[in-house]
Amino acid sequence: MTQTFRHRAAIPLGVVAGRRVGLFRIIVAVLTILGSATALPVLIAQHATAQPTTPNSSSSPKFLKLTLDSVNPSAVTTTSDPTLTVAGTVTNIGDRVVEDISVRIQRAAAVATPSALRSTLRLDQVNYDVTGPFEDIAERLSPGQRKQFTISIALRSASSAALDITKPGVYPLLLNVNGEPAYGTQARLDDARFLLPVLGVPPAADASGAAAQPAPDAPVATTLLWPLADRPRLVAGVPGSVNGKAELTDDELAASLGKGGRLDQLLGALESVLGTNPATRDRTLTSAVCVAVDPDLLITAQAMTKGYRVLASPSDPDGATRAGSGADQAQTWLDRLRAVAASVCTVALPFAQVDVTALAAVNDPDLSARALDAPADIVDSILATKSVRGVSVPDSGSIDASAGMLLRSHGFGTAVLADTAAAPLGTAGTTAASQQPATNGRINGNQSTANQTYTTSPPLPETSTPDVVRLAEIAPVPVPPNGTAEAPPEPQPSATPSTSATSTSAPGATTSSTPPAGAAALPATPPADPALHAATFDIWSATALAAVGSNPPTPSFTPSRVRYDVTNDSRMARLQDALGAITWTALNPEPNRPRSLLLVPPQQWGANREEAAAILKQVELLLRNNLATPRTLAELVAEPPDAQPHEPDYLPQAAHDAVPDRLVPAVRDQGRRITELMRALVEVPENEPTPRQFLTPLRDDLLRVLTLSDRRTGDSAQPDTYAQRRLDQTTRTMDRLYGSVTVLPPGGVYTLASEQSPLLLVARNELPVAIRIRFRIEAPTETKITDPGEETLPPTGSRSFQIPTEVSDSRNLVIPISLTTPDGVALGNPTSVSVRSNAYGQTLAIITACAGILLFLLAGRRLWRRFRGQPDPADEGFDPGTRRRVNRYRRARQRVLRQQEQQEAR
């Protein structure tokens, strides 16, 4: 290709020119003479302008889009090709033709500070002062057309154009494209910026320089977490069952687990780089990697293997469903993960990427236990391994003091936090990181945003936090006067141990004596420390890793000054930035700081197989060149903390991206209802589901309400909607469960045969689990009802009860009756029983007693007169002859009746 005079310089900011400059000047002069100066801005606005030095600013027109396709070599070593070759694509995204299109490579000074790994990529192109020649790539591009190109330049040369790279370092490069849009003039229309890690400089092609090695220093102890997580997929409000099929909101997880899916590619990258045969696996790199798994993902994948249903419409959780298609993919993926976990370190993430700070605000012990204690057991059970215990990896990388106290009270000795999320004791809220203002998502623009002047913004934090620090005030275990701290309760070991792996732990947690295959020998367990430790990771490498792949989030710990929408940059450019970021520490030793690097990609990482493999190979390249040494996660958390005490520094952006406070009370209320119902349920031998199997899925749904998944996209509307929908579904289910245990209302009036007849009641339990109940009977004053005490209803059945009752009134009485748990929590709907007794009552008993007394007196009077031979006045008026005839008639009638009975008997 040839160079032209048009490529000597780019048009500076604000210059507007046209092909017919003379004609334009005449028009301006005429308008000025006529006094129509107000018409000038209109003409200028209509006149085509060339792209300024801020090609992606919203106020300037867009003509070309430059995409980086490949960089070779992606990382330079002393054995690399001395020529850098870059491939890319230029696309006309404007509404007019662009002619005379050319590109060139420019270089800025090597990155000197960690924050410059991000901020340098926003500098104006004039800061990329080492330039190569422009090379023509297309004469003309119409709107919508694209052109691929390849451009090469020597790393260093004395006889030709070169980048003048003479020593190792991480170098920012800029690919500049110039062109001439119709009605405009030649200008810079777009650029692409990326980092080039140079581990060593190869000899110059023209023999003008020898190879250059990095300065000798201790290798960087490196640990890499490999996240496998997904957003919550299970439909909320579905209790556990024995034969029921799981329901998912969509079938995207099947695609992610299947061939070419996100989770398939992340696992495939591990397999391709580490190897699938544990006997031949690279032990060096393997010991530096620890797979961080979300237990909610494992539960969902395992449920998929048994067949599942998918909602026809995710927005209608009660609507129609269809059969899921990912059972085989889920089984295959789980089998592959088990094979990897057998010889690679594994650690459990908090359940469903729960917001630990929001979880602490909910303050539900059972919910916290499920979110923090259960994940390790779930991972061990499903993957048949033993994971690292006592280490928590919060999704946001930042926690407040209450969250730290919650972790420590559950036996966690170490939390993996951003190095800006822990500050020296007494300085929280005053550091440069904590003074960064929170923003709504990511600032529009890309890496080529013009250099900005930050006169009112706090400076970017230059991380200097040690690898492991002691959060002195996060120590719920009291220290006795003798100074010896009692160790916190240790987590229970997994119920399904595996001989191929072992469990290791942080300070204060359970440890094992046998390290995983390929891992270095574990150091001696340090004394139990009542305070929580923080293993800190570099925010700049973590920010660069988060930008790799599809749908990249901007982490909460990324300072606001360098938050921008990285999707405007090509995936290759973002991958190069990540390679440079993870290499910088190895090439730039810092005084008074240990040589250490903890790499933490986002938990829902979008890297594909090639990108993820490139990250692994870059770490392997550092290890091979003796710039890094592998360090297991167990070794990292077992390191003694820095002598200076620290405290959590909850970052403003993390608080902004957190679960909304309005969800916390509702989650707390439903968690309490689950716990109260759990206490009332009875576990029957050989009967499934058990109370825990039945209610645990609902507790999991509440944790999914508190997930941080998808909360760093800049738009909280969608995750808020998902959370509220899940909470509403769980609330409706709990209402239904409580209403499934009730007393059946009798029809009509219940009549008691006597005043002490029992009251017959029937209670029904529609739950598949037995439950303990009590009757709540509001007896009126006319009745006395004996409390039958605690009773048990069988699963999905009814039971009759005889309630001892005494009624002292023959009127119709209304008796309100309801059921409660043994703790007094209402069950079902209250009902009422109308009772009527055949008993005479107190008044009638008095009358009967008076009549009996009167009869006794009258009989005594008659007998007294007969004994004395005195006639009874009551017999006066009867003739003695008449009395005799009456008596004879009675005797004759009795004889006739006896004869009739004898004849009938014959």
Side-chain angles (χ1 to χ4, degrees):
M1 296 188 181
T2 60
Q3 302 181 34
T4 65
F5 70 94
R6 288 185 295 269
H7 307 147
R8 294 177 184 174
I11 301 298
L13 236 171
V15 176
V16 179
R19 290 184 174 181
R20 301 179 180 179
V21 179
L23 178 60
F24 180 68
R25 290 177 177 174
I26 293 174
I27 294 175
V28 173
V30 171
L31 291 176
T32 304
I33 295 173
L34 295 176
S36 302
T38 56
L40 181 59
V42 176
L43 287 180
I44 293 178
Q46 294 176 347
H47 194 73
T49 61
Q51 201 74 302
T53 49
T54 329
N56 292 289
S57 61
S58 58
S59 60
S60 57
K62 311 289 193 300
F63 296 113
L64 297 181
K65 175 65 177 178
L66 177 60
T67 303
L68 187 67
D69 295 337
S70 67
V71 178
N72 188 30
S74 57
V76 180
T77 66
T78 55
T79 59
S80 299
D81 191 308
T83 300
L84 179 68
T85 301
V86 177
T89 302
V90 175
T91 305
N92 188 337
I93 60 173
D95 57 357
R96 62 192 69 179
V97 173
V98 179
E99 298 178 341
D100 299 330
I101 302 168
S102 57
V103 296
R104 75 175 177 187
I105 298 179
Q106 301 175 216
R107 175 183 72 78
V111 174
T113 60
S115 63
L117 291 167
R118 184 85 166 182
S119 61
T120 301
L121 298 173
R122 304 191 70 190
L123 294 177
D124 184 59
Q125 63 96 18
V126 297
N127 294 277
Y128 293 77
D129 50 357
V130 179
T131 62
F134 276 105
E135 297 187 20
D136 295 327
I137 61 171
E139 293 183 0
R140 176 187 177 93
L141 280 181
S142 299
Q145 284 187 325
R146 64 179 57 195
K147 176 69 174 179
Q148 293 183 325
F149 66 90
T150 301
I151 183 173
S152 299
I153 189 171
L155 295 174
R156 58 175 175 169
S157 176
S159 57
S160 60
L163 294 177
D164 196 23
I165 296 177
T166 59
K167 60 181 181 179
V170 177
Y171 291 88
L173 300 184
L174 180 144
L175 197 60
N176 185 358
V177 58
N178 272 19
E180 184 178 320
Y183 314 111
T185 189
Q186 188 72 204
R188 180 170 64 90
L189 301 183
D190 197 16
D191 58 45
R193 298 143 189 264
F194 59 95
L195 298 178
L196 179 68
V198 179
L199 283 64
V201 182
D206 59 0
S208 59
Q213 296 278 3
D217 207 306
V220 176
T222 303
T223 306
L224 170 62
L225 294 186
W226 199 259
L228 295 174
D230 192 53
R231 69 166 61 96
R233 303 281 183 182
L234 287 171
V235 174
V238 181
S241 61
V242 178
N243 300 318
K245 289 187 176 182
E247 290 187 5
L248 272 64
T249 56
D250 53 59
D251 217 9
E252 293 180 4
L253 184 55
S256 183
L257 297 174
K259 186 176 181 179
R262 181 182 66 86
L263 291 169
D264 167 72
Q265 295 193 70
L266 284 175
L267 185 56
L270 270 181
E271 294 171 328
S272 64
V273 178
L274 300 183
T276 56
N277 186 356
T280 59
R281 184 167 289 165
D282 181 3
R283 306 299 184 192
T284 303
L285 181 59
T286 300
S287 59
V289 176
C290 194
V291 181
V293 189
D294 183 359
D296 186 37
L297 170 62
L298 296 184
I299 288 176
T300 306
Q302 188 176 54
M304 293 171 63
T305 63
K306 303 173 184 177
Y308 64 101
R309 307 287 297 176
V310 177
L311 293 179
S313 173
S315 60
D316 184 12
D318 298 322
T321 62
R322 56 183 174 84
S325 60
D328 294 338
Q329 294 93 319
Q331 186 64 61
T332 301
W333 188 83
L334 284 175
D335 291 341
R336 292 167 55 199
L337 182 56
R338 289 189 187 100
V340 171
S343 56
V344 177
C345 162
T346 306
V347 65
L349 298 173
F351 193 94
Q353 304 146 71
V354 67
D355 185 344
V356 182
T357 299
L359 184 66
V362 171
N363 193 24
D364 185 313
D366 295 309
L367 205 61
S368 299
R370 181 63 179 174
L372 303 175
D373 298 341
D377 292 332
I378 295 172
V379 170
D380 291 356
S381 175
I382 296 179
L383 298 184
T385 186
K386 297 195 75 175
S387 56
V388 177
R389 301 294 182 109
V391 181
S392 179
V393 188
D395 180 75
S396 65
S398 179
I399 58 175
D400 63 4
S402 64
M405 198 72 72
L406 178 67
L407 292 175
R408 195 67 188 101
S409 65
H410 280 265
F412 287 90
T414 303
V416 177
L417 303 177
D419 52 12
T420 54
L425 193 62
T427 64
T430 63
T431 62
S434 59
Q435 291 180 351
Q436 296 286 326
T439 61
N440 289 320
R442 298 167 291 195
I443 301 173
N444 291 330
N446 70 348
Q447 294 175 351
S448 54
T449 303
N451 192 18
Q452 301 179 21
T453 302
Y454 302 102
T455 56
T456 60
S457 300
L460 290 175
E462 298 298 344
T463 54
S464 58
T465 307
D467 302 342
V468 180
V469 296
R470 185 176 185 268
L471 305 179
E473 296 183 347
I474 311 300
V477 180
V479 179
N482 59 9
T484 303
E486 182 182 353
E490 297 183 352
Q492 295 297 322
S494 170
T496 56
S498 171
T499 57
S500 59
T502 186
S503 174
T504 54
S505 66
T510 306
T511 58
S512 176
S513 58
T514 307
L522 297 181
T525 304
D529 188 344
L532 180 68
H533 293 182
T536 62
F537 60 84
D538 172 47
I539 64 168
W540 303 109
S541 61
T543 298
L545 288 170
V548 175
S550 59
N551 302 317
T554 300
S556 300
F557 46 76
T558 301
S560 58
R561 280 183 52 185
V562 288
R563 297 176 69 87
Y564 53 82
D565 189 357
V566 296
T567 57
N568 290 328
D569 304 315
S570 63
R571 292 182 64 148
M572 178 55 63
R574 289 183 267 136
L575 175 60
Q576 283 295 133
D577 297 342
L579 298 181
I582 65 179
T583 305
W584 187 88
T585 301
L587 298 176
N588 296 270
E590 297 181 75
N592 303 322
R593 183 174 179 182
R595 299 275 285 160
S596 174
L597 181 63
L598 174 58
L599 301 174
V600 182
Q603 294 185 9
Q604 275 185 239
W605 200 17
N608 62 25
R609 185 188 184 104
E610 291 73 21
E611 292 164 338
I615 298 296
L616 287 169
K617 290 178 180 178
Q618 186 70 12
V619 174
E620 186 179 34
L621 183 64
L622 295 173
L623 297 173
R624 211 169 46 236
N625 283 270
N626 202 33
L627 293 172
T629 182
R631 177 188 53 190
T632 66
L633 180 62
E635 291 173 335
L636 170 62
V637 299
E639 290 181 0
D642 187 69
Q644 183 179 21
H646 283 65
E647 62 182 334
D649 194 0
Y650 195 39
L651 302 177
Q653 188 66 45
H656 180 274
D657 296 337
V659 172
D661 292 339
R662 60 181 175 81
L663 295 176
V664 170
V667 171
R668 183 187 301 119
D669 291 342
Q670 297 309 313
R672 173 184 49 79
R673 297 180 73 194
I674 293 175
T675 300
E676 291 171 343
L677 184 58
M678 178 77 81
R679 285 199 293 261
L681 297 181
V682 179
E683 185 168 352
V684 178
E686 300 181 358
N687 183 74
E688 289 188 343
T690 64
R692 189 168 299 278
Q693 291 171 340
F694 182 64
L695 289 181
T696 295
L698 299 178
R699 191 165 275 146
D700 293 347
D701 289 334
L702 295 181
L703 293 176
R704 296 179 184 116
V705 172
L706 302 178
T707 183
L708 286 173
S709 174
D710 298 329
R711 286 199 171 275
R712 282 177 289 275
T713 61
D715 181 12
S716 62
Q718 188 177 46
D720 284 350
T721 300
Y722 288 162
Q724 189 62 55
R725 182 181 300 158
R726 190 174 295 276
L727 180 59
D728 293 342
Q729 290 173 252
T730 305
T731 302
R732 288 195 297 268
T733 298
M734 290 306 303
D735 292 342
R736 178 173 57 83
L737 295 185
Y738 272 88
S740 299
V741 183
T742 187
V743 59
L744 299 181
V749 179
Y750 190 86
T751 303
L752 299 179
S754 68
E755 63 179 6
Q756 293 186 348
S757 297
L759 184 64
L760 298 179
L761 298 176
V762 178
R764 176 189 296 167
N765 175 25
E766 297 178 353
L767 302 177
V769 186
I771 185 171
R772 296 178 295 122
I773 63 165
R774 294 185 71 97
F775 285 93
R776 178 184 291 167
I777 304 176
E778 300 176 12
T781 57
E782 296 85 355
T783 62
K784 180 181 179 182
I785 301 178
T786 303
D787 185 2
E790 184 178 300
E791 300 288 349
T792 300
L793 295 181
T796 57
S798 302
R799 182 181 170 188
S800 300
F801 298 91
Q802 292 187 358
I803 311 298
T805 306
E806 294 183 12
V807 180
S808 60
D809 197 327
S810 60
R811 296 175 301 170
N812 286 347
L813 302 176
V814 178
I815 303 177
I817 300 176
S818 61
L819 296 181
T820 69
T821 67
D823 296 331
V825 181
L827 294 171
N829 296 319
T831 187
S832 60
V833 178
S834 296
V835 177
R836 180 177 61 195
S837 174
N838 287 334
Y840 294 106
Q842 184 178 4
T843 303
L844 191 57
I846 294 173
I847 295 174
T848 303
C850 292
I853 294 171
L854 181 60
L855 179 63
F856 176 78
L857 293 175
L858 293 175
R861 176 177 173 275
R862 177 179 288 274
L863 292 174
W864 172 258
R865 287 183 176 275
R866 179 172 295 179
F867 290 152
R868 296 183 62 182
Q870 298 176 358
D872 193 334
D875 294 334
E876 294 181 358
F878 284 94
D879 183 21
T882 303
R883 185 180 297 110
R884 286 193 296 271
R885 286 193 295 271
V886 170
N887 290 337
R888 285 196 297 268
Y889 172 78
R890 289 177 178 174
R891 288 192 294 269
R893 180 174 176 79
Q894 290 176 354
R895 284 195 301 269
V896 171
L897 291 176
R898 282 196 298 270
Q899 290 174 359
Q900 290 178 353
E901 290 177 357
Q902 291 174 358
Q903 290 176 359
E904 290 176 358
R906 293 175 184 174

